[in-house]
Amino acid sequence: MRLFLNATSPFARLARVIALEKGLDVELVWCDPWANDPALLAVHPQGRIPVLVTADGHALSESLLIAQYLDAQVVEGDHAAPLLPARTMATTLARASVGYGLMEAAFNTMIARKHDAAADSTLMGQRRLAALQRDLAWLEQSLPAPLGDRCTLDQLVVAVAAEYVNFRLPGCITANQHPQLCQWLQGMARHPHLAATAFA
Ligand SMILES: N[C@@H](CCC(=O)N[C@@H](CS)C(=O)NCC(=O)O)C(=O)O
């Protein structure tokens, strides 16, 4: 399998962390989606990362679809524990959905600012920032389980999203407003696959 990615995309990092979590052998293909990378466009028309090319040649985009595919690839052995346990599927998905919303709001805020210094004051900019604050407040009240032996999808999505917020929008997550989230993140940062893929 091959994973197209860059070093700063939270969506690509999520796919990479999940491949590591499932113990899968994935070749990393570093690329620049913003430069219409020909190698990326040759495998998927959307031109965004992440893209996973499966062993039988299917190209999947969208981080959560890739997560679903990778999770289903390992059904026995050390890495077989599902990222989405059937027993807790609704709570896991509910938390993952807020984490993913946080990731999108933060990424879209950052990209919009890059192209328009006044982006935050537009209607869409205001909506993005309000959603980001609501997501953080929600997570402060309803965090995933702390780091344990096995990870679930909500833990990985929320950790990558919050670390992305700290990377690109420092000052949004504060010990004053989000003490539980800050403490939870410190624990998650010890996860070897998160540590190995940290934003830089
Ligand atoms: N919903 C997608 C978002 C993917 C995405 O926005 N990727 C960005 C990089 S972080 C990208 O490749 N952008 C290039 C472009 O939009 O042309 C996912 O979950 O994978």
Side-chain angles (χ1 to χ4, degrees), residues 6 8-12 14-15 31-36 40 46-51 61-66 100 103-104 107-108 110-111 164:
N6 71 10
T8 55
S9 162
F11 308 103
L14 178 62
C31 66
D32 181 0
W34 298 102
N36 293 326
L40 176 64
Q46 203 163 20
R48 297 197 305 187
I49 53 168
V51 167
S61 71
E62 297 298 324
S63 52
L64 294 178
L65 298 180
I66 293 171
Y100 189 80
M103 195 181 290
E104 272 193 326
F107 175 74
N108 290 334
M110 199 279 298
I111 287 296
Y164 184 77

Side-chain angles (χ1 to χ4, degrees), residues 8-191:
T8 55
S9 162
F11 308 103
R13 184 179 173 203
L14 178 62
R16 186 181 173 198
V17 167
I18 289 172
L20 289 167
E21 196 65 20
K22 299 305 290 186
L24 291 163
D25 187 19
V26 172
E27 179 194 345
L28 301 182
V29 184
W30 300 96
C31 66
D32 181 0
W34 298 102
N36 293 326
D37 195 310
L40 176 64
L41 291 176
V43 295
H44 200 288
Q46 203 163 20
R48 297 197 305 187
I49 53 168
V51 167
L52 180 82
V53 182
T54 65
D56 52 357
H58 294 288
L60 320 181
S61 71
E62 297 298 324
S63 52
L64 294 178
L65 298 180
I66 293 171
Q68 190 177 346
Y69 177 80
L70 294 174
D71 199 19
Q73 295 315 296
V74 187
V75 290
E76 55 189 33
D78 287 351
H79 301 278
L83 294 173
L84 270 180
R87 203 173 43 83
T88 56
M89 187 164 297
T91 41
T92 305
L93 284 175
R95 282 202 199 89
S97 73
V98 177
Y100 189 80
L102 176 66
M103 195 181 290
E104 272 193 326
F107 175 74
N108 290 334
T109 296
M110 199 279 298
I111 287 296
R113 283 180 184 174
K114 223 171 173 171
H115 296 285
D116 173 8
D120 286 357
S121 58
T122 64
L123 174 68
M124 293 311 290
Q126 294 286 302
R127 289 186 67 77
R128 276 192 298 268
L129 289 171
L132 187 142
Q133 292 301 341
R134 283 194 307 267
D135 290 338
L136 289 174
W138 191 97
L139 290 168
E140 179 66 14
Q141 300 302 320
S142 187
L143 283 164
L147 183 61
D149 292 346
R150 297 267 181 263
C151 271
T152 45
L153 185 66
D154 54 341
Q155 290 175 303
L156 298 176
V157 175
V158 172
V160 171
E163 288 194 1
Y164 184 77
V165 172
N166 283 338
F167 173 55
R168 288 299 199 201
L169 307 171
C172 284
I173 300 177
T174 67
N176 230 356
Q177 275 185 293
H178 314 103
Q180 308 297 329
L181 176 57
C182 288
Q183 200 182 351
W184 181 84
L185 266 182
Q186 277 178 12
M188 287 302 290
R190 287 196 291 273
H191 186 290

